[in-house]
């Protein structure tokens, strides 16, 4: 055959021969090596032979012979022929020499189905099948390695033969999350995070978010979650195990998993409800309770030290305390909290990223807090009036710092406490501590030195006694607001989350602090903080001895 004709034929068969090799070996690197050997031998034969009648069949014979020699050289592996008990009639058999490439590739789909269904076996069955058929281990060795009786291994092998053959007939469809994966726009916690972080850390990967969401509205098995996502169950199995281990999923009595995360699902309907009630009740609470109190504050109480004696700065920190007085129920923060393996103890929450009408001012209402930090001796010998050394309270809002709980470090307050005691020397060893305090806005450097730029209090009792109880009329309005907010909150939520949502929503009016801040700014009751004040806004440190 002419060299040019041989080149053209080889060009047509390069991909087919690689597919043949990949199907036989299942390893891309080895498949490249085998296909290269086949191509070299086919090309050598083609340029030497003339008048080949059935080129396709001839090339297949060469490919099959090269593969046979290749396998023999690397020690022949056990086939799957014994799985069905009917040799030569199913996808587990070796392919005879005379079959052509069309038939070979048709059968390769069946081999793909086998590999797919092995992934859907239980972890124990999957390990036994892989050890027996792929690693060629004997039953007694498998049993010893897995701590099982020989008979149990044989029973699993028998069961998997039937299960694999039956499940190969299934049509597995990709669920909604496989076609349209979700994402969470925010994740967080209500309580104390552990050493491994919180929801944002455990659900950092998109695949983990989708696994969690797949079992949110209804419990699912690992295989059902895999089908919903359109991925191999092996990838789901480990993720689910971790989520269950740390309390983000619960394993139910029937073996299915249910997600234990409060997932906020925004909708235009819920947003419309909130837009109406937030505007109405923000004005009512501000006019009937917040503004009258703030306007009565004409001087700074003697137990407080406020930077530059700025009453406006003090009022910013007072607003979250006043909105807390809108509470109508005693709520235990730990009723639904999950104690996690890494020491975390919190309710996990997330927000689903869905296409709803965007409120341009929505970011104004973001807040992180209330965040409490304390010295170790305050934990061990604490009284509300006189902590042994210090405690701090902080809330991050749009008009101040927006760094969140991760940057609200206990050691920053500890260093500030030592600074105020005159025990934080300005030297190389403390250079980083000073930089942190300046960056966080707790200290400000002036021409005459450093000044503390957050509010200090000599008494926690006196601080909380500053704020009056809300009237019965205002508390009745708070209950009204909570009931209407709950109806919006449970829209599109699974039944198992309704009780928790309603429970924590009883004091929903307390979360209107940022709405009230915006209202008071527009009314002129508040003024914007200065750039110097912004980082330390809404921060109070309580000092003891």
């Amino acid at each position: 055959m002419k060299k040019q004709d041989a080149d053209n034929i080889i060009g047509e068969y390069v991909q087919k021969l690689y597919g043949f090799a990949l199907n036989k070996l299942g390893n891309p690197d080895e498949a490249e090596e085998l296909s290269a050997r086949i191509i070299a031998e086919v090309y050598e034969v083609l340029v030497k032979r003339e008048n080949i009648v059935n080129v396709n069949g001839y090339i297949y014979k060469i490919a099959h012979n090269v593969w046979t020699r290749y396998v023999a050289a690397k020690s022949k592996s056990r086939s799957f022929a014994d799985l069905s008990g009917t040799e030569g009639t199913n996808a587990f058999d070796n392919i005879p020499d005379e079959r052509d490439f069309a038939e070979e590739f048709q059968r390769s789909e069946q081999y793909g189905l086998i590999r797919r269904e092995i992934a859907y076996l239980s972890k124990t069955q999957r390990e036994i099948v892989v050890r027996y058929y792929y690693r060629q281990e004997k039953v007694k060795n498998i049993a010893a390695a897995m701590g099982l009786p020989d008979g149990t291994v044989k029973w699993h092998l028998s069961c998997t033969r039937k299960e694999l053959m039956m499940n190969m007939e299934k049509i597995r469809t990709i669920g909604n999350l496989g076609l349209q994966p979700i994402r969470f726009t925010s994740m967080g916690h209500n309580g104390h995070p552990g050493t491994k972080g919180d929801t944002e850390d455990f659900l950092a990967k998109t695949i983990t978010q989708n696994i969690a969401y797949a079992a949110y509205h209804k419990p699912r098995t690992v295989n059902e979650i895999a089908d919903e996502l359109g991925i191999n169950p092996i990838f789901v199995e480990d993720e689910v195990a971790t989520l269950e281990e740390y309390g983000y999923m619960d394993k139910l009595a029937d073996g299915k998993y249910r997600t234990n995360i409060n997932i906020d699902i925004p909708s235009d309907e819920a947003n419309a409800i909130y837009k109406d009630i937030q505007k109405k009740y923000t004005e009512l609470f501000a006019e009937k309770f917040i503004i009258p109190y703030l306007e009565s504050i004409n001087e700074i109480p003697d137990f407080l030290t406020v930077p530059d004696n700025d009453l406006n700065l003090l009022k910013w920190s007072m607003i979250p305390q006043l909105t807390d007085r809108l509470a109508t129920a005693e709520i235990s923060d730990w009723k639904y909290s999950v104690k996690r393996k890494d020491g975390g103890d919190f309710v996990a929450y997330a927000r689903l990223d869905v296409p709803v009408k965007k409120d341009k001012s929505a970011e104004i209402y973001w807040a992180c807090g209330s965040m409490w930090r304390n010295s170790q001796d305050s934990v061990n010998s604490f009284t509300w009036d006189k902590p042994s050394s210090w405690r701090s309270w902080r809330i991050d809002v749009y008009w101040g710092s927006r760094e969140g709980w991760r940057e609200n470090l206990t050691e920053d307050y500890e260093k500030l406490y030592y600074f105020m005691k005159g025990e934080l020397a300005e030297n190389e060893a403390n250079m980083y501590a000073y930089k942190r305090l300046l960056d966080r806005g707790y200290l400000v450097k002036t021409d005459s030195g450093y000044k503390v730029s957050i509010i200090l209090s000599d008494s926690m009792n006196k601080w909380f006694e500053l704020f009056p109880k809300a009237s019965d009329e205002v508390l009745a309005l708070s209950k009204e607001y909570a009931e209407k907010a709950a109806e919006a909150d449970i829209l599109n939520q699974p039944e198992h989350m309704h009780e928790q949502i309603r429970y924590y929503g009883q004091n929903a009016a307390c979360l209107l602090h940022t709405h009230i801040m915006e209202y008071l700014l527009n009314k002129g009751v508040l003024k914007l903080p200065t750039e110097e004040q912004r980082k330390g806004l809404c921060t109070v440190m309580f000092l003891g001895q």
Side-chain angles (χ1 to χ4, degrees):
M1 183 182 293
K2 292 181 180 178
K3 182 177 180 300
Q4 184 177 353
D5 293 336
D7 289 341
N8 292 336
I9 291 173
I10 289 294
E12 293 175 10
Y13 277 85
V14 166
Q15 290 300 321
K16 292 180 180 180
L17 290 171
Y18 175 74
F20 169 85
L22 185 59
N23 176 61
K24 290 293 188 183
L25 301 176
N27 182 302
D29 293 333
E30 286 192 296
E32 287 185 8
E33 180 183 348
L34 176 58
S35 62
R37 293 187 185 188
I38 296 171
I39 290 169
E41 190 158 332
V42 167
Y43 187 76
E44 183 179 353
V45 172
L46 289 178
V47 295
K48 291 180 179 178
R49 293 291 300 271
E50 296 287 346
N51 302 320
I52 300 174
V53 177
N54 183 0
V55 173
N56 188 72
Y58 199 78
I59 292 176
Y60 177 78
K61 287 183 178 180
I62 295 171
H64 186 80
N65 290 336
V66 174
W67 168 65
T68 302
R69 295 197 301 271
Y70 182 87
V71 172
K74 289 187 175 280
S75 78
K76 188 175 181 181
S77 64
R78 181 187 280 117
S79 88
F80 276 97
D82 61 329
L83 270 172
S84 69
T86 311
E87 196 166 335
T89 62
N90 63 75
F92 300 107
D93 299 329
N94 288 321
I95 301 173
D97 289 5
E98 296 305 319
R99 297 189 186 274
D100 63 18
F101 276 106
E103 192 168 354
E104 169 75 8
F105 285 114
Q106 182 180 3
R107 292 176 63 80
S108 73
E109 293 182 10
Q110 293 180 297
Y111 283 104
L113 291 177
I114 294 170
R115 290 191 293 270
R116 181 195 74 183
E117 291 307 323
I118 287 174
Y120 279 88
L121 296 173
S122 71
K123 192 171 185 178
T124 298
Q125 288 181 328
R126 189 167 64 240
E127 184 174 352
I128 289 172
V129 166
V130 170
R131 283 176 176 271
Y132 186 76
Y133 289 106
Y134 285 99
R135 299 179 187 171
Q136 309 150 40
E137 296 181 20
K138 294 180 179 180
V139 168
K140 64 178 182 180
N141 294 337
I142 297 172
M146 297 181 66
L148 299 172
D150 291 5
T152 301
V153 173
K154 291 177 182 177
W155 178 81
H156 278 301
L157 285 170
S158 176
C159 288
T160 54
R161 291 187 189 112
K162 297 174 184 177
E163 191 172 343
L164 286 169
M165 294 303 297
M166 179 179 66
N167 289 342
M168 279 178 62
E169 304 299 322
K170 286 184 178 179
I171 298 175
R172 295 193 182 271
T173 57
I174 298 176
N176 291 332
L177 295 180
L179 299 173
Q180 293 181 307
I182 60 91
R183 284 184 180 275
F184 294 145
T185 57
S186 63
M187 293 164 276
H189 67 276
N190 180 13
H192 303 311
T195 57
K196 291 183 177 293
D198 76 340
T199 319
E200 185 177 11
D201 301 287
F202 280 86
L203 273 67
K205 296 181 293 186
T206 302
I207 187 174
T208 315
Q209 295 174 22
N210 280 269
I211 287 170
Y213 192 66
Y216 185 59
H217 286 90
K218 68 176 183 178
R220 282 189 163 112
T221 64
V222 166
N223 287 350
E224 288 170 345
I225 293 172
D227 282 342
E228 175 65 19
L229 271 62
I231 62 176
N232 192 309
I234 294 173
F235 299 121
V236 173
E237 193 172 59
D238 289 342
E239 295 285 346
V240 167
T242 300
L243 291 176
E244 184 202 1
E245 183 181 8
Y246 286 88
Y248 294 94
M249 297 184 91
D250 296 325
K251 189 172 185 179
L252 306 182
D254 59 2
K256 294 186 177 183
Y257 294 88
R258 185 173 67 192
T259 298
N260 186 24
I261 300 170
N262 189 334
I263 302 176
D264 179 22
I265 306 172
S267 67
D268 290 331
E269 184 180 1
N271 286 349
I273 294 172
Y274 262 112
K275 188 173 183 179
D276 176 54
I277 63 174
Q278 284 173 336
K279 181 178 180 181
K280 174 184 176 181
Y281 286 90
T282 291
E283 182 175 353
L284 287 170
F285 294 137
E287 296 293 343
K288 291 178 177 292
F289 180 51
I290 309 291
I291 292 176
Y293 174 77
L294 291 180
E295 289 182 341
S296 72
I297 302 297
N298 299 312
E299 60 182 13
I300 296 171
D302 58 7
F303 66 91
L304 294 175
T305 301
V306 180
D308 302 320
N309 293 315
D310 189 336
L311 266 176
N312 181 64
L313 181 62
L314 175 61
K315 290 178 179 180
W316 276 95
S317 292
M318 287 180 159
I319 292 169
Q321 305 298 331
L322 289 166
T323 54
D324 280 351
R325 300 306 185 275
L326 299 175
T328 61
E330 287 290 334
I331 292 179
S332 167
D333 287 343
W334 314 116
K335 182 173 181 179
Y336 293 94
S337 185
V338 177
K339 295 187 182 299
R340 304 174 195 273
K341 185 179 177 181
D342 64 337
D345 190 357
F346 59 86
V347 174
Y349 67 79
R351 178 184 289 267
L352 189 66
D353 185 9
V354 293
V356 295
K357 294 176 181 177
K358 300 293 184 182
D359 184 349
K360 294 180 180 179
S361 61
E363 67 171 350
I364 291 176
Y365 307 124
W366 174 89
C368 182
S370 295
M371 297 177 283
W372 284 92
R373 302 291 184 265
N374 41 259
S375 63
Q376 188 58 45
D377 56 351
S378 287
V379 174
N380 296 333
S381 56
F382 169 76
T383 63
W384 280 100
D385 193 40
K386 285 291 183 183
S388 297
S389 51
W390 63 267
R391 273 200 165 189
S392 69
W393 166 85
R394 179 181 178 90
I395 182 171
D396 284 351
V397 296
Y398 172 79
W399 300 275
S401 168
R402 286 183 280 174
E403 294 177 327
W405 67 272
R406 294 178 193 274
E407 281 298 308
N408 192 38
L409 303 181
T410 298
E411 49 261 43
D412 290 336
Y413 298 103
E414 192 77 13
K415 297 297 184 183
L416 182 61
Y417 176 70
Y418 285 122
F419 169 82
M420 288 185 284
K421 289 181 68 178
E423 297 177 8
L424 189 71
E426 192 175 4
N427 55 30
E428 187 174 349
N430 292 321
M431 181 172 61
Y432 177 73
Y434 273 90
K435 183 178 185 306
R436 280 281 305 179
L437 294 175
L438 290 167
D439 288 345
R440 294 290 290 153
Y442 298 160
L443 281 184
V444 172
K445 193 167 187 178
T446 68
D447 292 339
S448 57
Y450 295 101
K451 73 172 183 179
V452 177
S453 191
I454 61 174
I455 296 171
L456 304 175
S457 174
D458 292 340
S459 168
M460 290 182 70
N461 272 348
K462 290 179 180 179
W463 169 256
F464 288 112
E465 288 168 358
L466 268 178
F467 308 105
K469 293 181 179 180
S471 67
D472 290 343
E473 178 192 7
V474 169
L475 293 178
L477 291 172
S478 179
K479 286 184 178 180
E480 281 182 19
Y481 177 79
E483 289 169 2
K484 293 179 180 181
E487 294 307 311
D489 290 340
I490 64 173
L491 287 174
N492 305 316
Q493 288 290 338
E495 187 67 31
H496 75 279
M497 293 303 301
H498 286 194
E499 182 182 331
Q500 182 187 130
I501 291 170
R502 288 187 181 277
Y503 179 78
Y504 284 121
Q506 292 178 92
N507 294 332
C510 300
L511 301 178
L512 288 173
H513 39 44
T514 52
H515 291 265
I516 289 172
M517 287 173 179
E518 180 195 33
Y519 183 83
L520 298 183
L521 280 168
N522 292 336
K523 289 277 291 187
V525 177
L526 278 183
K527 295 183 293 184
L528 286 171
T530 66
E531 186 61 28
E532 181 180 291
Q533 295 170 339
R534 191 179 64 82
K535 289 184 178 180
L537 194 70
C538 295
T539 305
V540 180
M541 190 170 180
F542 302 93
L543 302 175
Q545 298 171 3

